[in-house]
Amino acid sequence: MESTAQKTLGDDSHLRVVPPTVEELDTVTVRFCGDSGDGMQLTGTEFTKSTAILGNDLATFPDYPAEIRAPAGTLPGVSGFQIQFSSHDIYTPGDAPDVLVAMNPAALKTNLPDLLPGGILVVNTGAFNETNLQKAGYAKNPIDDEQLQAKYRLFKVDITKLTELSLEGSGLGSKEIARSKNMFALGMMCWMYGRPMDNIIDGLRQKFTKKPEIAEANVQVLKAGFNYGETTEAFSHKYEVKPARLAPGKYRNVTGNQAAALGFVTAAARSGVRLFLGSYPITPASDILHELSSYKNYGVMTFQAEDEIAGIASAIGASFGGSLALTTSSGPGVALKTEAMGLALMLELPLVICNVQRGGPSTGLPTKTEQADLLQAVYGRNGESPIPVLASSTPGDCFEAAYEAFRIAVKYMTPVLYLTDGYLANGSEPWLIPDPAKLPPITVKYRTDPEGFHAYQRDPKTLARPWVIPGTPGMEHRVGGLEKDSLTGNVSYDPQNHEKMIRTRAEKVARVADEIPPTQIFGEPSGDVLVLGWGGTYGALHQAVESLQKRGKKVSQVHLRWLNPLPKDLGEVIRRFQTVLVPELNLGQLSKILRSTYLVDCVTLNKIQGKPFKVAEIVAKVNELLERPRA
Amino acid sequence: MSADLIPVSQKQALTKKDFQSDQDVRWCPGCGDYAILAQVQKLMPELGIPRHDIVFISGIGCSSRFPYYMNTYGMHSIHGRAPAFATGLKASRPELSVWVVTGDGDGLSIGGNHMIHTLRRNVDLKILLFNNRIYGLTKGQYSPTSELGKKTKSTPYGSVDAPFSPAQLALGAGSTFVARSVDVEPPHLLSTLRAAATHKGSAFVEIYQNCNVFNDGAYSYMTEKAVKADAQLVLEPGKPLVFGKAKDKAIRMNAKLQPEVFTLGKDGDLSQAIVHDPTNETLAWMLAHLAPPHFPTPIGVFRSVERPAYDALMNDQEKDVLAKKGKGDLQKLLNAGETWVVK
Ligand code: SF4
């Protein structure tokens, strides 16, 4: 089963006589890994596109270093892309890969521990030279190791050499040739899992319209990789993963950041009001700025500000002027915005602050995921400064959450903090394209009647104040961050008025709970363990609970959309379970809120490694809880 | 509604009083801010812009109470950030007349970053920076324009912090309009504000303002009756740089390309004096560097040049894209990329 470049194209001893065995699989997890210069993200996204078109359910997890280009061949420079695809519903990119494609020794070293025993390991032997082995800290070539060969199904392919051979005479330089070897790996995987390549080829030609020779080289190498699988006997098996039975409708693949951007545009379109984004580049939120910047003909104005504070300040200025105002950032940037958020809640103007969370504190782990900004979101401002907080749970769900954030911001005249995270932002899944007409409306009504107008006169139901924008005759008024009179909005230092305003602002945010539908419980309404989560952990928690339920365990799941206020019935739901497990990618922030709100104990499960939960970790914890002796 | 659409009758109907809000003005008695407020309120009716199309935005500090006293739309925002709030408002509502009121601490210390970037972009904002060379609201600490050696509550042994010049900073940031005036020179202040108001793009006006409580007399070296004619150089476009009680002093460039003061009729004649031209970039730089003790303090418009305003460019770009691509179809956008149907 060995194949190296010594078997050149002239030597046909390895050419296929026996057709490969086709094996049907339910679910496969593939991880491509290599140097950050090896194009693993492109390889992964192209494979994903092709998988999406086949109708599999899928979830992806790109994992790349914070450095733009760490030194080539080193461990910190390794970039990876994992995709799980399946013939049934799946909710995560997979705990561990069944298939690992390692483009160099460093990639093998950092990723091999994750590969399942018996898994397929495809290694680019061409990159396993002395220098690269040394850079990865290997004393000996690991692929010659018998133990490794016994533990995994190892396929040694000199991808480097084969790529060179397929581009011989193309006239391309050695650098360009080296850069296309990722396409060989992609071609092999397309063959192995029967993925169509037409759309990949179209995509490459589109991507390199200005450099057709590069496009054609990539296409050629891609095909060479595919043919290598088809014509040589390097691989004895091909696999088939049947389309998933997803809900009927039209689908596309979206990342969380794309979906959020679409949600924001949809809010603008549905309300008929311009969207204004004031933002400053920051990982992993910048993609929302990029997406929205291209939507200029959709009533979207984007402003790349001089800093994070100007990002939110410009948005508040635009909100004062009547726009749907948005600012996007990640933890450290959100920290800089807190004073302005306080102003927005004093001014009682609609504003959405989107925090694509990453590993903290401080600069932390910019490209890794974490859920450690929840307390910052709920409490992180000076003074009594409540703001509604909601979170999205899957990449596709970012669309609805983004839309909902604006609906509430406008209806209650308040800033709203919307939390997503790096895992959702860059991860993708098939997305049932929604019909915007079916979303609840966002009704913007500027007050224009000066008769009896007071800037802080409130709607009796929502406690929202009127939105009056400059340009409206007869309603000139001033707003500001000083405490204001509860009716006129003029500056007031009156002690009773201050307490009244503090309580009113809190009550207004509390009333957002009226918008929250009854808590949906996945599973029985009562039982032994309730797995209670929020945000991007949804997939892992759901898959874990589903598998536990299949094994007859009395385990249910609740996943929160709203973190502030909490659903009205949540306390009662929690009390119906023996144990509440709150898994979070932080040291226990939601659990802190739940304990103080409901005076219930929750068991915490915390992971702070910049990585999402594995399904198995949740399952193990729940089993542990189920097995522990009852008091 | 833009200013041009206002019927003449309505333009004339407004008076200074119409721009006074119902709030009691609460600066210290004798504060220079009163005089500035009076001139701004006097200018407003002249502009022919209805009150509801005017917005004053401020940060934090004594000067930043300003919007409360103007019967227009207004926002008292957070410390140093007024230009950023104003940028968002002006970009999204270019038809509004948007004014920023700030001070030396607010606009140049905590808010220095927003100031330079706003000027660099040339956002069509009128920025009034009240420079009293002190932190008044926090009761007397030195500011970025306080002189070296200044003794304040936070510098009991004298400040070792070198100040900078707002006018130089604004020029350096590429502001298309840079001017300076003084609280106690009402006609000069009014005409400077008028020039700023009619400028398209960022108009930066530094106003020397006396804080009689914490930094009284900061500008007496150039405002006292006895000295002011010799200490002030009033810049007028097209006119030679002449000053002095007897109008006998002028400024020329010497052979080393350095400005020098000379006496008319004695060291030279009027033809040697530099003639002010606010479109002359080099001259603006030179003027912004003139300071006592060797030179009088220039007041007036240093630079006034034309450059497209950021907010206009932003809105033009939007129109261009609209013209090229047509109004975006949300359904199409949602259905973009590769899609597939599950039956
Ligand atoms: S402290 Fe100074 S600047 Fe402030 S109001 Fe009083 S006099 Fe004016």
Side-chain angles (χ1 to χ4, degrees):
Chain A
M1 188 150 324
E2 179 168 277
S3 171
T4 69
Q6 281 112 45
K7 290 175 180 170
T8 59
L9 301 182
D11 163 18
D12 60 3
S13 62
H14 59 296
L15 289 184
R16 207 178 269 296
V17 183
V18 193
T21 316
V22 180
E23 199 179 310
E24 198 179 317
L25 295 173
D26 257 7
T27 303
V28 178
T29 301
V30 178
R31 186 187 295 174
F32 297 95
C33 58
D35 196 65
S36 34
D38 282 343
M40 291 297 98
Q41 300 305 322
L42 177 69
T43 312
T45 37
E46 291 302 328
F47 190 78
T48 303
K49 269 202 229 160
S50 184
T51 296
I53 282 175
L54 273 186
N56 293 135
D57 197 8
L58 67 88
T60 66
F61 179 52
D63 189 20
Y64 47 86
E67 288 76 20
I68 300 303
R69 280 287 159 84
T74 61
L75 300 177
V78 174
S79 165
F81 188 103
Q82 183 165 315
I83 169 173
Q84 176 168 228
F85 53 101
S86 175
S87 58
H88 57 77
D89 285 7
I90 48 156
Y91 306 96
T92 77
D95 279 8
D98 309 300
V99 184
L100 184 70
V101 180
M103 298 299 282
N104 71 1
L108 183 73
K109 181 129 192 197
T110 45
N111 288 280
L112 190 61
D114 294 340
L115 182 61
L116 289 172
I120 294 176
L121 174 61
V122 180
V123 167
N124 172 21
T125 54
F128 279 65
N129 54 33
E130 193 112 354
T131 335
N132 283 341
L133 288 167
Q134 221 167 35
K135 278 188 197 163
Y138 278 124
K140 280 194 312 210
N141 193 340
I143 50 180
D144 297 334
D145 178 11
E146 269 169 30
Q147 259 182 330
L148 180 138
Q149 292 176 359
K151 193 167 172 195
Y152 307 105
R153 281 181 284 161
L154 173 67
F155 297 96
K156 297 195 257 181
V157 185
D158 191 342
I159 295 175
T160 307
K161 189 67 182 268
L162 288 162
T163 301
E164 283 165 12
L165 284 173
S166 75
L167 287 179
E168 222 168 38
S170 66
L172 289 180
S174 56
K175 247 195 198 148
E176 274 93 23
I177 291 177
R179 248 187 238 137
S180 25
K181 60 181 183 293
N182 58 335
M183 289 298 121
F184 196 93
L186 178 59
M188 281 195 299
M189 287 300 115
C190 284
W191 174 81
M192 194 178 277
Y193 293 99
R195 314 278 106 176
M197 300 201 300
D198 302 352
N199 59 311
I200 301 180
I201 293 172
D202 289 349
L204 287 169
R205 289 190 174 134
Q206 238 162 41
K207 187 174 157 77
F208 297 106
T209 14
K210 292 217 179 95
K211 292 182 188 158
E213 68 286 359
I214 301 280
E216 290 320 308
N218 273 296
V219 170
Q220 198 167 328
V221 177
L222 178 75
K223 286 182 177 164
F226 190 93
N227 293 339
Y228 180 80
E230 182 73 24
T231 53
T232 74
E233 278 171 7
F235 306 106
S236 59
H237 281 64
K238 262 185 93 145
Y239 304 92
E240 194 185 353
V241 178
K242 291 250 165 73
R245 275 184 304 276
L246 300 172
K250 197 169 171 193
Y251 283 79
R252 66 183 275 198
N253 198 51
V254 280
T255 66
N257 274 347
Q258 282 170 340
L262 291 171
F264 294 135
V265 179
T266 303
R270 279 302 310 271
S271 63
V273 172
R274 161 139 70 182
L275 177 74
F276 180 96
L277 167 68
S279 187
Y280 185 75
I282 186 168
T283 303
S286 303
D287 279 342
I288 302 180
L289 168 64
H290 305 161
E291 288 275 330
L292 289 176
S293 298
S294 63
Y295 300 159
K296 289 215 174 355
N297 54 332
Y298 289 86
V300 176
M301 182 172 262
T302 55
F303 171 56
Q304 183 180 315
E306 58 272 24
D307 60 26
E308 294 282 359
I309 300 171
I312 185 170
S314 60
I316 295 171
S319 174
F320 186 53
S323 294
L324 287 192
L326 169 68
T327 189
T328 49
S329 190
S330 186
V334 174
L336 284 166
K337 295 181 196 292
T338 52
E339 187 194 9
M341 272 185 236
L343 178 70
L345 80 92
M346 279 297 258
L347 302 185
E348 303 193 36
L349 285 171
L351 169 73
V352 172
I353 305 112
C354 170
N355 178 357
V356 186
Q357 298 167 94
R358 64 190 217 184
S362 186
T363 309
L365 300 171
T367 58
K368 309 291 171 188
T369 198
E370 209 160 274
Q371 297 185 296
D373 297 346
L374 177 62
L375 295 179
Q376 180 199 42
V378 178
Y379 302 115
R381 289 161 296 276
N382 63 306
E384 293 290 348
S385 45
I387 285 185
V389 179
L390 80 168
S392 43
S393 52
T394 70
D397 179 57
C398 291
F399 174 83
E400 255 173 63
Y403 184 88
E404 179 72 353
F406 266 117
R407 191 179 74 81
I408 296 302
V410 168
K411 186 165 176 186
Y412 289 80
M413 290 292 284
T414 178
V416 170
L417 216 148
Y418 162 39
L419 294 169
T420 92
D421 60 49
Y423 170 76
L424 297 178
N426 294 319
S428 66
E429 65 174 357
W431 180 53
L432 180 60
I433 300 170
D435 177 0
K438 293 207 174 110
L439 293 164
I442 297 179
T443 320
V444 172
K445 243 186 153 178
Y446 309 120
R447 178 167 174 166
T448 53
D449 177 14
E451 194 56 37
F453 162 66
H454 293 292
Y456 277 73
Q457 198 167 39
R458 294 173 188 281
D459 178 293
K461 189 159 170 268
T462 60
L463 298 182
R465 77 176 190 95
W467 197 358
V468 179
I469 62 173
T472 316
M475 299 178 86
E476 297 82 6
H477 66 282
R478 277 66 56 191
V479 292
L482 287 167
E483 186 58 280
K484 18 200 45 59
D485 178 83
S486 62
L487 183 65
T488 62
N490 287 331
V491 176
S492 166
Y493 297 107
D494 179 71
Q496 299 305 324
N497 177 74
H498 178 53
E499 179 153 343
K500 182 177 179 192
M501 286 299 270
I502 292 282
R503 291 185 185 281
T504 308
R505 286 187 288 259
E507 172 62 18
K508 182 172 86 163
V509 171
R511 286 193 190 180
V512 171
D514 293 344
E515 306 284 333
I516 308 175
T519 299
Q520 272 190 21
I521 305 168
F522 172 64
E524 295 300 318
S526 63
D528 293 336
V529 177
L530 176 68
V531 177
L532 179 54
W534 68 279
T537 55
Y538 171 80
L541 305 192
H542 191 74
Q543 201 131 7
V545 170
E546 193 182 67
S547 76
L548 286 157
Q549 286 174 353
K550 273 188 193 146
R551 278 176 263 159
K553 313 278 180 178
K554 290 184 179 133
V555 179
S556 300
Q557 183 197 14
V558 163
H559 209 74
L560 299 177
R561 153 78 80 227
W562 284 97
L563 284 319
N564 191 39
L566 291 165
K568 285 178 179 169
D569 61 354
L570 187 62
E572 187 250 323
V573 169
I574 286 177
R575 289 194 175 85
R576 286 193 238 132
F577 290 83
Q578 293 273 351
T579 306
V580 180
L581 173 67
V582 184
E584 290 181 89
L585 301 175
N586 58 41
L587 281 180
Q589 301 195 359
L590 176 63
S591 56
K592 220 171 237 153
I593 295 175
L594 294 173
R595 282 172 183 151
S596 69
T597 311
Y598 301 114
L599 300 178
V600 292
D601 192 24
C602 338
V603 178
T604 59
L605 173 63
N606 308 111
K607 177 174 179 179
I608 318 102
Q609 300 166 8
K611 288 186 174 186
F613 275 121
K614 289 182 176 174
V615 176
E617 290 165 342
I618 310 294
V619 171
K621 183 70 190 179
V622 174
N623 279 329
E624 181 198 311
L625 291 175
L626 290 170
E627 281 155 24
R628 81 182 163 175
R630 289 271 158 74
Chain B
M1 214 189 302
S2 86
D4 312 334
L5 300 176
I6 310 301
V8 180
S9 57
Q10 202 178 326
K11 280 187 191 178
Q12 288 161 343
L14 293 174
T15 66
K16 179 178 174 187
K17 247 190 129 72
D18 291 315
F19 286 91
Q20 294 167 350
S21 78
D22 59 354
Q23 299 295 295
D24 294 334
V25 185
R26 295 209 192 180
W27 288 306
C28 307
C31 175
D33 290 356
Y34 285 95
I36 305 172
L37 176 64
Q39 294 313 311
V40 172
Q41 285 171 337
K42 199 166 168 191
L43 171 74
M44 288 293 130
E46 274 188 34
L47 301 177
I49 304 171
R51 284 185 322 188
H52 57 257
D53 281 340
I54 300 172
V55 186
F56 277 81
I57 299 185
S58 64
I60 297 294
C62 291
S63 56
S64 289
R65 297 297 172 95
F66 202 95
Y68 290 123
Y69 310 135
M70 293 295 299
N71 193 8
T72 62
Y73 283 92
M75 185 195 288
H76 180 211
S77 77
I78 50 175
H79 204 11
R81 323 295 173 196
F85 289 91
T87 297
L89 177 61
K90 182 69 187 176
S92 58
R93 298 285 309 278
E95 75 279 16
L96 298 172
S97 169
V98 183
W99 295 65
V100 169
V101 179
T102 182
D104 42 319
D106 187 62
L108 299 180
S109 192
I110 191 167
N113 196 34
H114 309 301
M115 184 61 75
I116 57 174
H117 290 284
T118 301
L119 298 178
R120 162 177 78 77
R121 294 188 185 106
N122 196 32
V123 187
D124 188 15
L125 302 173
K126 313 304 145 211
I127 302 170
L128 313 182
L129 185 136
F130 300 7
N131 183 6
N132 56 16
R133 296 190 174 162
I134 198 81
Y135 282 88
L137 192 68
T138 49
K139 300 196 166 81
Q141 300 82 13
Y142 76 101
S143 88
T145 56
S146 296
E147 58 278 18
L148 258 175
K150 188 172 194 72
K151 286 196 174 150
T152 69
K153 280 190 186 139
S154 59
T155 51
Y157 301 106
S159 162
V160 293
D161 223 336
F164 59 21
S165 144
Q168 286 175 20
L169 189 82
L171 288 170
S175 183
T176 52
F177 182 99
V178 179
R180 180 189 288 150
S181 191
V182 196
D183 55 359
V184 293
E185 300 286 350
H188 185 268
L189 179 55
L190 184 63
S191 70
T192 308
L193 292 171
R194 187 181 295 125
T198 47
H199 177 75
K200 234 3 203 163
S202 293
F204 179 87
V205 184
E206 177 192 14
I207 305 169
Y208 282 180
Q209 174 244 323
N210 192 40
C211 167
N212 56 307
V213 174
F214 295 108
N215 200 15
D216 197 21
Y219 297 107
S220 49
Y221 68 89
M222 56 91 70
T223 55
E224 291 288 318
K225 262 220 166 73
V227 296
K228 81 176 206 185
D230 287 311
Q232 291 181 8
L233 171 67
V234 182
L235 305 173
E236 289 174 273
K239 301 245 173 89
L241 302 181
V242 173
F243 65 104
K245 224 179 232 151
K247 293 266 173 222
D248 59 344
K249 283 185 245 175
I251 293 174
R252 68 184 172 198
M253 294 305 262
N254 67 19
K256 287 185 187 163
L257 277 184
Q258 283 167 334
E260 66 180 16
V261 174
F262 69 103
T263 307
L264 291 169
K266 195 169 146 220
D267 315 321
D269 61 37
L270 198 59
S271 69
Q272 293 171 344
I274 297 167
V275 174
H276 184 48
D277 172 8
T279 65
N280 181 332
E281 302 275 344
T282 322
L283 182 58
W285 277 106
M286 190 275 278
L287 291 171
H289 282 81
L290 295 188
H294 302 298
F295 294 97
T297 304
I299 58 171
V301 180
F302 291 70
R303 178 202 270 167
S304 177
V305 293
E306 299 272 321
R307 179 151 71 83
Y310 180 76
D311 42 288
L313 290 173
M314 241 177 146
N315 284 280
D316 287 351
Q317 188 174 61
E318 192 176 286
K319 276 181 212 131
D320 272 5
V321 176
L322 264 172
K324 265 186 215 127
K325 296 193 165 175
K327 193 170 160 5
D329 176 344
L330 183 66
Q331 278 295 352
K332 262 196 204 148
L333 183 66
L334 295 176
N335 286 275
E338 290 179 54
T339 59
W340 67 97
V341 174
V342 174
K343 295 222 174 85

